[in-house]
Every structure is written in C-alpha cells, then in structure tokens.
Amino acid sequence: MAVELGAIGAVAPASFRERTLSAPWPPLFVLAPAVLVGAAMLLPLGYLIWRTLGAGPEAWDLLARSHVFGTLFRTTVLAATVTGATIAIGVPLAWLTIRTDLPLRRLWAVLTVLPLVIPSYVGGMVVVAALRPKGLLQEILSGPFGVDRLPEIYGFPGAFLTLALLTYPYVLLSTRAALWNVDPALEEASRGLGRGAWTTFRRVTLPQLRPAIAAGALLVALYTLSDFGAVSLLRFDSFTRVIFLQYESAFNRTLAAASSLVLVALALGILLVEARARGRARYYRSGAGAARRPGVVRLGRWRWPALAFVVAVVALALAAPISVLGYWLVRGVQAGEPLRLVGEGALNSLYVSSLAAVATVLAALPVAILTVRYPSWVSSLLERVSYIGFALPGIAVALALVFFGARYATPVYQTLGLLVFAYVVLFLPVAVGALRASLQQVHPHVEEAARSLGRSPLRVFLTVTLPLMRWGILASAAGVFLITMKELPVTLILSPIGFKTLATSTWSAASAAFFAQAAAPALLLMLVSSVAVGLLMFREPQLRR
Amino acid sequence: MSYQTFQRLLPAPVWIAALFVTLLALLLVACGGSSAGKLTIYSGREESLVGPVIEQFSETTGIDVAVKYGKNSELIATIREEGGNSPADIFFASDPGALGALSDRFATLPDRILGLVSESFRSRDGTWVGISGRARVVIYNTNELTEADLPDSIFDFTDPKWRGRIGWAPTNGSFQAMVTAMRIIEGEERTRQWLEGIKANDPKEYPKNTPIVQAAADGEIDVGFVNHYYLYRFLAEQGESFSARNHFLTAGDAGGVVLVAGASILDTSDSVEEAERFLEFMLSPVAQQYFAGQTFEYPLVEGARPQVGLIPLSEIEIPDLDLSQLVDLEGTLKLLRETGVLP
C-alpha cells in the first residue's frame, strides 16, 4: 500500500492547529450529556467549598501547622517517581503483550492488568507482611542465605514500591488501547526507509502513543495523591494523612474539606503538566486507504529477556500478593478458622462493577468527543473538571454525595442508583482517558464522508465512530470495572444498607485481624476479575501472522 | 464470532439502545425497597465481631435489622451530612471518643437501660451506654521479654532503656482516648511529659492496633500500646507459638484504663422502641456472654464472665473516670500536635 509522507507528518506534534471541517458547534446529543456530566463532577468540589466556607481562620492554622509545603513536596515527589516507574513498566508491557511473539502473550495480557483489582490497603498489608524486618521474605532468605537484615521498607521505598506495582495497569490499559489503533503503515514506512526496529519504535510508534501514555500517567499521579491505604501502612507522610487526621481523629469535616481543597489545587497543577505532555498533535491517518491490523513483531533473541521482564512484573505485582493471601488462608484454615461463604459478595461486586463500567463509559463518551472533536476552552475545562473526583480521597466524594443525596434526593439515597452515580464521578477520568486516546486516532474525514453521504450526526457517531473506537471502549470499560471491584470508602458509605461486596468483606475482616477471613474474599475478588478481564481481552483481534 | 458477524447481527444502535434500557431497568429495580419498620444500625464495629450477635437479636425478637458497617469516623461524618434525614436508629461505636463526638445527636436513654451497667461504663448525661469493655495493655515480644521485665505503670516507658523498642498508633481512636483519660487523671502537664518522654524514645508509628501486635510478635518492636483483645485473634489464627502476649498495667494509671465499645439511639430515630429493645438485648446475659466468649472483650453486666486468662475487671485498678469526659478530643489532639506526636 502506498503511504503518503503526509501520514508521517501527521505524527509529529503540529505547531499549527489543523482547521477542522466539523461543525464548530457540537451537536446536542454530545453537548447536553457532556454538560450534565460536568455538572455532576462539580458536586464534590461544590461540597468542599461549601464546607470550607464554614471553616474560618482555623483552616489557615491547620495548614500552617501541618508543614504544608514539606508535606506537599514529599507528596509531589512520590507522585512523580511512581508515575515515572509506571511508565517504565506499563509501556513495554503493553507493547510486548500486544505486538510481539512473546510466549503465552494472551495470558500475560490478562495477568498484567490484574494488579488493578488489589485494594491499596491489601497491597500495603502484603508488602509489609513480605518485606518488613523479620517478615516472610527474610524468613525465606535467612535460612539458606543467612540474610538477617533487609533494607528498610517503611517510608518512601515501601510506598513507592507498593503504589508503582498497584497502579502501572493504568498506563498499561490506556497504552494497549492506543497500540491497537496505531497505523502499521507508518512503522512499515520507517522500516522501509532503513530505520531499525528500535528506532522505529522510539521515533514512530512511541510518539503516537504519547497521548495515551500521558492519560494513563495522569491517572497514576492523581491516584498517588489520593491514596491513603498504602501510604499509611507504609508510614509515608503524604498529604492525604493531613486530611484523614481531620476525618478520623478529630471528626472534623470542615477542616478535612479545607485540606482537601489543597489537594484539588495540587491535582490542577498536575493536570496542567499533563496537558503540556500530551501536546497538540493529531494522531490519525491522513493518507489514503484504511488502517490494517498490525503485524507481529518478532522478538528474536530478545524473546527470553522480554519474557523474564513480564514474568518478574507479574510475580511481584500479582503472584506475591496472591501467595501472601493464600498463606493467610491456609494458615487460618489449619488453625480451624471458620470461613463464611462469600458468594453473595461476589455477585454484588460483579453486578455493581458492571453497572459502573457501562454507566461510566456512557458518561465519558460525550466528554471525550467534545474534547477531541470540538476543542475549546469549554471542553478543556470540562475535561479538567472530570478529574477532580479521582484526585480526592474517596471519603470526600462519598460525603459530598451523602450531603446532596440525603438532603435533596432522598428517594435515591442509599440505593444502587446513587452508588453507581458515585462511581461515575470517581472513575470518569479512567474512561475518558482511554476513549480520548482512541478517538484521536479516528480521522474526522471518515465521519465527514459519512455525513456527506446523508447520515445524521447521531447515526454517523453510532455506525462509524463508535465501532472504530471499540478497543478504546473495551479498555475503558475494563479499567472502570476493575477499580470498581476494589473500591472501598464510597462503597461503604453509599451502598444500600446490607449490600456487601468482596471489597467490603475483605476490609471488614482485615481490620478486625481476621486474616484468613480477609484472604478468602480478596482471592475471590482477583479470580472473578481475572475471568471478567479474560473474557474481554480474548475478544481482541488476532495479529496478522 | 468475529466482530463483523457480531455487528451484522446486532448493529451498533441496537446494542447501545439495549445497554441503555438494561441499565435504566436495573437502576429502577435497584431503587425499590424502603427502610420503614426496620431497625437501622450504623456500626463502627466490624461485622466479623458483632454480625453474629446482631443476627441473634433479629432472630430472637423478630425485628428486621439492617446494618451499615464502616469506620467510626466515616459513619459520624455520614450521620452529620445526612442531617435530619438520617436513616440510622442506632450508632454502635468502638470507642467512647467516637460516641462523644456525636453525642449532640443522641436521644437520652431510659434509666432501665442505663442502670444495667455501672456508672463508669456509660455517659453520665445518659446519651450512650457501654456494651463491652476493652482494657488498654502493653503487648510484648515473648522472645525478648518476660512479664517480670515489664513495669506496672505506663509512665515507666519513658525510661531511656526503652529507646527504639516501642510501637504506638497516635492516630488511633483508642490511643487518643487513653491520652484523654491520662489528661483527666494525671493532668495536662504530666501527660505532656509522658508524650515527650515516649517521643524521645523514638517510638515506631503504626496506623492502628493490629500491625502493632504483629510487629511485636516479629520483634520489630519489643513493646506496643494496644487494646487487649487483638492478641486473641492472632492466637486463634497462628496458634500458641505466636510470640507476643499482653501485659496488664496494674498501677491504676491511665495506661491500663478500660474503655468501652458502646451504642446510642439517634435523636432522629423513628423506631425508638425497637432501638431500646436492641440495647437491652446487647446488655442481656446471652449477648454479654457472646462478647466475652467470641470477641474476648469484657462483659459489662453482672453475671457474664470474661474469657479465662483475662484479669477480671474487679482486679484491674480502674481509675475513677467518667468516660463521657473523654469527649474532649480537641484538647488531646492539640496536645498531640504541640508535642509533635501528630503533624
């Protein structure tokens, strides 16, 4: 197939803005839901501001007292390093599990995503159990190797390790979605012009993945800001601790809200950095013809080192937690611990996570379309706003919805409806990121052609754009599904009374030191998720052999 | 089935519409059901601990019970945000500090319920009642230490010989309740000295009690300040070889204070009668024996006996303390911040 040079030109970040031929005003079926979604996203922020207004001068005292700059600096350093590490892990993993002849590629494709379902307090507990002084690892090493001291795990190293291993799937998922849509013609052109495989990856493939990587990295950075479970167990003094001290120790919602607003400000800073990293390039084919499925990259002698890398990541991020949980389970059962059936929790988890995945993708679609196809200050503001829920500790978002739900929406309060709504508010950016990246790879000319043939915008969207975005849709649904499976604070506060999920059962047992009873639902959580993700991923297309 | 076949069988508009309809239908189904005629409990105590006894209440009385489990702090904030519309009838909390923090939202309990427990285990303004007791103890590593090595008073742990060997959880509610008790019994100044003394000994900080117990067994620390009943959970799962034990502080100071998990009725409750029956049931011999036998806590009413191996309440030197005075969390937090224990 002939490849136009223009196709390659489209990859380089364009310094000028391509004039779009689309209608300048978005159609109503995009604009109306997008504005509604934006309004919903503002609820937590509105609540926090409302609460903070009641705080008065003591809020300043609190911030002054809590060495706010030192804490913010530490938090920023953690977010930056964790983000860097997740890119270093997630991008190669995505490429290896999608584009290469890695042995057992599809199996790894499923397994490498799964650490996303490990709740951060479980991850933290497992890292502490395995790596603390005189923990499991040292017990194993002390016999044959006489190791009697491990490097200190508490503080930065432990928090960094735990969060990097738990969050790299965000980068992996968004990069995978984009990799499916990379036009192989560009890579072939590069190879045809004499570039090696590595140079081609670095100069041609990687730049095309940039928006997707940036979207995943943004989620990692924001998650690191909002996480409390891992940092508290590993004793890293991050900013969420200031917030939680207010909620947990002082039972003071007002000061907690005030300090949450500082976190929002930090998140906005990160969003600006990401916007710059994403660039303004366009990533669709501008040449003639249609994109084909990419071919298999043969790894040759790199096959085994690559496999070793993938195995190492899976061993650390997935096999290690499963082994520790399995050990707790076996130890407890041997000691005669009764295990209660958790079938109901499993069904509830599956049910509510599926609802959340569908609802979030539906809510994210208009936002993604608006930001990609109708860029303006309104759409970029809307997109920024959609990240606020994700950057806040879950409890702040949950309380915002309790406030609005119990006062102004009593009929839906403590129903699944409001719970799913809360998940949408929390996880919208997870879906928007992957959708945006995949939509950026669909050339607007394709849609315009369909329009010119007489189809209405809605029909064009449903019959042309949506099918082209399918891998992005699948990836975003999978991402939302997995993080909803493990979500805890919002589920505890907003779920209908008596509604148990695997995550709440795990937490409830773990916090009362019923480790065996905590391990059973946690293991089931991973099993159920892996089946669900496996089903999704096995529908992905085959590579050309 | 290839995507093309799939698309032919089910064109995009059809399945998108189907998704929408299913979702709406599911949400509508899910929105049904109401809480009328039910007793709604917000429990800051874990389901694994109180679930069975609540179930027993429901079976015995035929009253429908719905329980929302969570952390004390989350439930308090939730009840506050719910305002007058809170569906909660009962708040069941794991420490007196949490009960105190919400006491302006509680109804006054009738004397026949308050009278069931001794004055030291309920609030004197009659807003909440203790259900089970937990002693503050020192957990110690049995490979490094024996009972004889351990002092009777918590004030002795400021001795430099404990440097680098102590674990504590300054953000934990029970710990803070103990500090509040110390401020009441020993005064502000002595408490400040104690906090500074411990801090000078480089204590290791944990987020809550259970990791302290584990760390003591591992020898990561030699001693830790915890509630007494966590140990028995570890013994149940890891057997007698678990190398940590409780040391009861018998000097009669705040270090060995007996705190309670307690419950109260919300002033917005519309099922007061059922709620009162719940409290009576929790203070009945059956339920009290459950707490003694299954959660290793102290029963608070006459007749039920604590687990073998626990020092009976009558032998613990209980400082004269009104637990409802433990409300002054602000003062404790202020002191903890001034001494640099909390940021």
Side-chain angles (χ1 to χ4, degrees):
Chain A
M1 177 204 290
V3 177
E4 295 181 6
L5 279 175
I8 293 170
V11 172
S15 54
F16 58 93
R17 285 201 153 206
E18 194 177 320
R19 200 170 62 85
T20 166
L21 294 174
S22 319
W25 193 247
L28 201 62
F29 74 90
V30 173
L31 192 62
V35 168
L36 276 180
V37 169
M41 294 300 131
L42 282 174
L43 285 182
L45 191 62
Y47 162 82
L48 289 177
I49 293 173
W50 168 251
R51 277 274 162 263
T52 306
L53 289 180
E58 38 172 356
W60 295 111
D61 287 354
L62 170 79
L63 293 180
R65 200 166 58 214
S66 51
H67 317 288
V68 69
F69 289 109
T71 317
L72 281 179
F73 177 72
R74 266 196 303 278
T75 311
T76 314
V77 168
L78 183 71
T81 47
V82 168
T83 308
T86 55
I87 293 174
I89 300 172
V91 174
L93 272 186
W95 187 73
L96 286 170
T97 54
I98 284 211
R99 297 289 302 276
T100 69
D101 59 349
L102 185 77
L104 301 174
R105 188 175 60 83
R106 292 199 159 215
L107 176 71
W108 301 123
V110 174
L111 293 185
T112 46
V113 179
L114 285 181
L116 207 53
V117 299
I118 302 176
S120 84
Y121 64 92
V122 171
M125 266 163 55
V126 163
V127 167
V128 169
L131 299 182
R132 66 166 185 254
K134 305 186 185 166
L136 294 174
L137 182 68
Q138 197 188 328
E139 218 169 273
I140 295 166
L141 293 181
S142 65
F145 306 104
V147 177
D148 59 357
R149 208 181 157 73
L150 289 174
E152 178 71 29
I153 189 67
Y154 293 114
F156 180 81
F160 168 77
L161 179 74
T162 314
L163 286 168
L165 288 176
L166 290 178
T167 57
Y168 79 80
Y170 288 115
V171 177
L172 174 65
L173 271 173
S174 62
T175 312
R176 283 170 57 93
L179 264 174
W180 281 117
N181 290 334
V182 166
D183 188 343
L186 293 170
E187 292 170 7
E188 285 155 12
S190 164
R191 295 303 294 272
L193 292 169
R195 298 287 187 192
W198 168 240
T199 317
T200 301
F201 177 75
R202 201 165 50 84
R203 301 277 301 271
V204 177
T205 317
L206 208 53
Q208 297 187 73
L209 298 178
R210 208 166 87 166
I213 296 171
L218 176 64
L219 293 176
V220 171
L222 295 182
Y223 183 88
T224 309
L225 287 193
S226 70
D227 176 75
F228 181 68
V231 292
S232 70
L233 283 165
L234 288 147
R235 297 187 214 148
F236 180 81
D237 203 2
S238 81
F239 194 74
T240 40
R241 197 173 125 103
V242 177
I243 300 173
F244 270 79
L245 276 177
Q246 290 306 318
Y247 279 125
E248 307 239 317
S249 300
F251 305 113
N252 190 332
R253 299 165 294 161
T254 313
L255 291 185
S259 30
S260 299
L261 280 181
V262 177
L263 206 59
V264 172
L266 192 55
L268 291 178
I270 291 180
L271 282 165
L272 285 179
V273 172
E274 190 260 357
R276 296 200 65 139
R278 194 195 299 163
R280 283 196 288 171
R282 309 242 171 270
Y283 297 90
Y284 35 72
R285 285 174 64 85
S286 65
R292 287 159 300 128
R293 285 179 188 167
V296 177
V297 175
R298 311 223 171 264
L299 289 170
R301 65 200 159 94
W302 289 103
R303 213 165 165 226
W304 301 111
L307 184 65
F309 167 68
V310 177
V311 169
V313 173
V314 170
L316 281 175
L318 191 66
I322 289 181
S323 331
V324 173
L325 291 170
Y327 170 72
W328 284 344
L329 186 66
V330 171
R331 185 182 67 188
V333 169
Q334 278 175 349
E337 275 291 302
L339 288 181
R340 262 177 260 156
L341 220 63
V342 280
E344 184 201 347
L347 281 181
N348 282 343
S349 284
L350 261 177
Y351 175 53
V352 79
S353 307
S354 311
L355 282 182
V358 174
T360 311
V361 169
L362 287 178
L365 270 172
V367 178
I369 295 170
L370 206 63
T371 44
V372 175
R373 289 288 186 256
Y374 306 94
S376 71
W377 67 269
V378 179
S379 61
S380 64
L381 183 72
L382 182 68
E383 198 213 354
R384 299 283 180 279
V385 161
S386 76
Y387 279 90
I388 289 174
F390 194 77
L392 285 171
I395 182 171
V397 176
L399 288 177
L401 293 180
V402 169
F403 177 82
F404 290 109
R407 285 163 205 242
Y408 308 111
T410 344
V412 294
Y413 182 59
Q414 291 195 342
T415 63
L416 275 188
L418 191 66
L419 181 62
V420 170
F421 180 78
Y423 290 140
V424 174
V425 172
L426 276 180
F427 300 140
L428 190 77
V430 177
V432 170
L435 291 180
R436 188 183 62 207
S438 69
L439 185 59
Q440 273 171 333
Q441 291 169 321
V442 177
H443 198 293
H445 288 175
V446 180
E447 295 167 354
E448 283 151 14
R451 284 280 283 134
S452 71
L453 291 171
R455 289 219 162 165
S456 71
L458 182 60
R459 277 192 72 81
V460 171
F461 169 70
L462 291 177
T463 56
V464 177
T465 319
L466 214 51
L468 286 172
M469 290 172 70
R470 61 188 177 271
W471 304 121
I473 291 175
L474 213 57
S476 54
V480 174
F481 176 86
L482 291 179
I483 32 180
T484 310
M485 288 291 283
K486 74 167 175 192
E487 206 289 330
L488 189 65
V490 166
T491 314
L492 277 176
I493 293 180
L494 286 175
S495 61
I497 292 179
F499 185 82
K500 282 174 220 158
T501 68
L502 291 174
T504 61
S505 308
T506 306
W507 169 80
S508 163
S511 59
F514 284 76
F515 293 115
Q517 273 186 33
L523 287 170
L524 195 59
L525 179 76
M526 283 184 233
L527 185 74
V528 170
S529 312
S530 56
V531 172
V533 175
L535 284 176
L536 278 180
M537 297 211 163
F538 273 77
R539 302 205 61 117
E540 283 180 346
Q542 293 287 341
L543 293 176
R544 256 179 324 118
R545 286 275 162 188
Chain B
M1 181 167 64
S2 76
Y3 186 77
Q4 278 75 13
T5 339
F6 175 70
Q7 214 179 11
R8 211 168 42 242
L9 291 174
L10 272 180
V14 174
W15 62 261
I16 298 273
L19 271 183
F20 259 116
V21 172
T22 330
L23 190 75
L24 279 178
L26 285 174
L27 285 184
L28 286 179
V29 169
C31 289
S34 98
S35 71
K38 262 188 177 176
L39 183 65
T40 304
I41 300 171
Y42 279 18
S43 172
R45 305 207 58 196
E46 290 90 358
E47 184 174 14
S48 31
L49 297 176
V50 298
V53 71
I54 293 178
E55 220 163 87
Q56 212 176 343
F57 163 75
S58 190
E59 275 164 24
T60 315
T61 58
I63 296 173
D64 260 348
V65 182
V67 196
K68 183 173 209 54
Y69 293 98
K71 294 184 193 171
N72 289 328
S73 54
E74 288 171 353
L75 296 173
I76 290 172
T78 303
I79 291 172
R80 289 231 181 266
E81 294 302 3
E82 285 169 343
N85 286 344
S86 177
D89 299 305
I90 296 259
F91 179 49
F92 196 172
S94 59
D95 70 74
L99 287 161
L102 197 63
S103 61
D104 59 309
R105 288 291 313 273
F106 298 152
T108 310
L109 300 175
D111 287 337
R112 66 168 198 286
I113 292 177
L114 293 170
L116 290 170
V117 301
S118 106
E119 224 178 32
S120 31
F121 299 127
R122 57 177 153 93
S123 87
R124 281 181 202 173
D125 61 2
T127 49
W128 55 265
V129 63
I131 303 285
S132 55
R134 48 270 297 276
R136 290 294 296 179
V137 296
V138 171
I139 187 101
Y140 67 97
N141 179 291
T142 49
N143 300 327
E144 299 291 325
L145 296 164
T146 64
E147 276 281 336
D149 302 324
L150 292 156
D152 289 337
S153 165
I154 196 153
F155 287 94
D156 294 332
F157 286 97
T158 54
D159 191 299
K161 75 172 177 183
W162 295 105
R163 199 178 165 78
R165 301 166 72 187
I166 302 174
W168 68 354
T171 57
N172 176 267
S174 302
F175 174 83
Q176 290 169 356
M178 183 201 77
V179 175
T180 314
M182 192 183 279
R183 288 173 49 225
I184 294 165
I185 301 166
E186 324 279 349
E188 237 16 68
E189 209 33 54
R190 190 130 192 255
T191 309
R192 179 189 297 273
Q193 283 165 10
W194 181 76
L195 288 169
E196 280 166 353
I198 297 291
K199 197 149 193 302
N201 273 342
D202 272 338
K204 292 207 171 71
E205 197 177 314
Y206 296 84
K208 50 187 186 174
N209 284 303
T210 41
I212 298 187
V213 176
Q214 181 69 56
D218 294 335
E220 193 175 312
I221 48 175
D222 288 342
V223 291
F225 307 138
V226 295
N227 290 348
H228 79 275
Y229 53 93
Y230 291 102
L231 171 68
Y232 306 101
R233 284 299 320 149
F234 283 88
L235 292 177
E237 291 202 15
Q238 305 190 26
E240 290 298 311
S241 63
F242 186 75
S243 49
R245 288 295 183 272
N246 282 338
H247 170 67
F248 285 80
L249 296 162
T250 49
D253 57 42
V257 70
V258 174
L259 302 169
V260 296
S264 55
I265 302 177
L266 273 290
D267 59 2
T268 48
S269 166
D270 52 5
S271 318
V272 176
E273 200 180 309
E274 290 85 352
E276 287 176 357
R277 283 184 71 183
F278 176 78
L279 295 184
E280 283 169 318
F281 182 84
M282 287 295 135
L283 293 169
S284 70
V286 186
Q288 289 287 302
Q289 202 55 57
Y290 166 86
F291 285 115
Q294 302 300 310
T295 67
F296 304 95
E297 288 171 284
Y298 285 105
L300 296 183
V301 299
E302 294 292 319
R305 275 212 300 264
Q307 193 82 351
V308 183
L310 284 189
I311 299 181
L313 274 188
S314 53
E315 283 175 35
I316 300 184
E317 199 64 46
I318 301 172
D320 179 37
L321 178 69
D322 170 10
L323 285 181
S324 52
Q325 282 181 280
L326 298 186
V327 181
D328 184 24
L329 204 55
E330 258 320 301
T332 296
L333 290 171
K334 187 161 167 279
L335 189 62
L336 288 173
R337 280 190 296 251
E338 282 170 9
T339 49
V341 174
L342 286 181

